[in-house]
Amino acid sequence: MSTAFFASYLIGLRDGLEAALVVTILLTVVSRSQRRDALGPLWTGVGLAVVAAAGLGAILTWVATSLLSGVRLEWFEAITSLIAVGLVTWMIFWMRRSARTIKADLTGRLADALRMGPAAIAALAFIAVIREGVEMVLLVFASAQAVAQTAAPLVGVISGVASAVLLGWLMYAAVAKVNLGRLFTWTAVLLILVAAGIAKYAVHGFQTAGALPGGTNIAYDMSTTVEPTSWYGTLLAATVNLTPSATVLEVAVWVTYAAGVLVVFFLPARRSTVVAAPSAGDRPEPA
């Protein structure tokens, strides 16, 4: 389990930390506005976002379990994998592009919501957190399809979120100093590799369902030398979906996506600084 849950842990840590930073910004604005009455609606919105994300995960798991096997299951897993790849790609570049202005944007929107009332505050908090939750659920669900059906993905994402909450609290309380720019950069790189593996799995699903050609055109076959159930086989499958065998199209998609996105991500002209966590003087007073 310690190897199979790595990808899910990374996803939970990355998305959980982004959500924690967003919530911290909102709490700071509420405290500075001396609107303690807004804390209830704010936490209600956050809670509803968590419940909605968990509900989405339960629905995806139920559908996959109901389909059991066959072409319909391959289609379902392939489509959800493509959605996950698209969402994580968009979120990585959105975070990099919006990092400079995310604090100002959230502050302005919350100021408007405070004037509109509790429902608007709850809605803002819900929207700010739900996008991280949906991304997390889709990524964990998609990456879990590449490994044996165990509790490892669930344990991994819960551990990642718990680590993110702890890290966010330590930074918020000025107990720990973390270079968020570097942290988000390297977790983004690892997530790009995870997404490349999910894209490869989507191609495998479409080929198995007969929607894409080349299902028998094998690029490599290490099934006689790499044991899928070994620790290293499980680790490679759970992180970058490196399976004992793969088709030419699967490998081409993996390499094209990983190389292309990494090159664009590291273009100097497009890089931006990740928003810093609030300093000790910025943190809100206890409720």
Side-chain angles (χ1 to χ4, degrees), residues 22-23 26 41-47 49 110 113 119-130:
V22 168
V23 172
L26 295 178
L42 192 154
W43 283 115
T44 298
V46 172
L110 184 55
I121 298 170
L124 175 63
F126 177 86
I127 294 172
V129 175
I130 190 62

Side-chain angles (χ1 to χ4, degrees), residues 154-180:
L154 179 61
V155 174
V157 73
I158 291 176
S159 301
V161 171
S163 298
V165 171
L166 177 60
L167 185 59
W169 180 83
L170 289 175
M171 290 187 295
Y172 178 70
V175 175
K177 293 183 179 180
V178 178
N179 187 325
L180 290 177

Side-chain angles (χ1 to χ4, degrees), residues 207-247:
Q207 287 183 321
T208 302
L212 287 177
T216 58
N217 191 6
I218 305 300
Y220 66 85
D221 188 348
M222 299 184 295
S223 55
T224 58
T225 56
V226 176
E227 175 57 46
T229 58
S230 63
W231 70 267
Y232 53 88
T234 303
L235 176 62
L236 292 173
T239 51
V240 296
N241 196 26
L242 182 59
T243 51
S245 64
T247 65

Side-chain angles (χ1 to χ4, degrees), residues 53-67 73 76 80 134 137-139 141-142 145:
L56 175 61
I59 291 172
L60 291 175
T61 303
W62 176 78
V63 172
T65 303
S66 301
L67 294 176
L73 180 59
F76 175 72
T80 53
V134 169
V137 168
L138 285 174
L139 276 175
F141 177 80
Q145 307 309 310

Side-chain angles (χ1 to χ4, degrees), residues 37-121:
D37 59 299
L39 290 175
L42 192 154
W43 283 115
T44 298
V46 172
L48 289 175
V50 173
V51 171
L56 175 61
I59 291 172
L60 291 175
T61 303
W62 176 78
V63 172
T65 303
S66 301
L67 294 176
L68 296 178
S69 62
V71 174
R72 288 186 299 175
L73 180 59
E74 297 292 346
W75 272 99
F76 175 72
E77 292 181 347
I79 292 173
T80 53
S81 295
L82 280 184
I83 295 174
V85 171
L87 186 58
V88 71
T89 306
W90 176 78
M91 285 297 293
I92 287 173
F93 287 100
W94 175 85
M95 184 62 181
R96 190 186 61 171
R97 183 180 65 253
S98 305
R100 294 179 185 271
T101 60
I102 186 172
K103 185 173 182 179
D105 290 344
L106 282 174
T107 300
R109 293 178 185 178
L110 184 55
D112 292 337
L114 288 172
R115 289 192 294 268
M116 296 172 65
I121 298 170

Side-chain angles (χ1 to χ4, degrees), residues 16-28:
L17 189 53
E18 288 182 6
L21 288 173
V22 168
V23 172
T24 299
I25 292 172
L26 295 178
L27 287 173
T28 301

